[in-house]
Amino acid sequence: MQEYVLSVKVANNNGVLLRVASLFSRRFFNIKSLNVAETETPEISRMTIVVAGDRKILEQIKNQLFKLYEVQEVNILENAVCREHILIRAGRTGDDRHKIIEIANLYRAKPVDIHPDSIMLELTGEPAKINSFIGLLKPFGIVKMVRSGISAIERN
């Protein structure tokens, strides 16, 4: 199955996120990533949704989204800038921390909290870069991690 990134502009009203999520749930479509925030216009929010499936499923999703009153625009992003943000705490010993800092420097991750046995890092980048970073930190023990989900905007 292929992954697709959808950009959905919706009215910034209470309950819109729930209605969109329910639409996916009722039809057994899985949301791999979901990011929602206000746009340059406070009355409008942009949802960036990553789904897996084929083109037929994608068209079904698009058609179902347009049935919701608050949905104003749905775009399948094929040529877009995609970024993700991660906060991750890793390490079990002080020695681990020094090795983790070396990895962080390679990825240009920023330390945001240092503990005697672990370190919390912040990184923004393409999802593949984030996945690679996580893979390198796993041997040191990941204590906690949170990912923002993909934010994307189409190129001109």
Side-chain angles (χ1 to χ4, degrees), residues 24-109:
F24 279 79
S25 176
R26 284 191 309 269
R27 285 159 184 80
F28 301 102
F29 298 141
N30 187 36
I31 296 173
K32 295 197 74 165
S33 172
L34 174 64
N35 192 322
V36 185
E38 218 174 67
T39 65
E40 63 283 357
T41 307
E43 301 83 32
I44 306 291
S45 287
R46 180 181 312 276
M47 303 176 91
T48 305
I49 306 169
V50 178
V51 296
D54 57 25
R55 271 298 215 197
K56 183 179 176 186
I57 288 173
L58 192 62
E59 287 304 318
Q60 286 178 341
I61 290 170
K62 191 173 175 181
N63 292 336
Q64 293 299 318
L65 284 168
F66 273 124
K67 288 182 181 179
L68 297 176
Y69 173 77
E70 294 92 352
V71 173
Q72 298 175 0
E73 186 179 299
V74 179
N75 291 310
I76 301 164
L77 303 182
E78 296 186 22
N79 185 20
V81 174
C82 298
R83 294 291 183 267
E84 192 170 4
H85 183 256
I86 186 172
L87 289 172
I88 187 167
R89 179 175 291 285
R92 290 181 282 250
T93 67
D95 291 337
D96 287 350
R97 197 176 64 220
H98 296 293
K99 294 173 189 169
I100 290 168
I101 289 171
E102 288 179 29
I103 293 169
N105 288 336
L106 290 173
Y107 282 81
R108 295 188 182 125

Side-chain angles (χ1 to χ4, degrees), residues 125-143:
E126 293 180 3
K129 178 181 179 180
I130 301 291
N131 290 335
S132 173
F133 185 63
I134 292 168
L136 289 175
L137 292 180
K138 275 186 181 177
F140 299 102
I142 295 175
V143 179

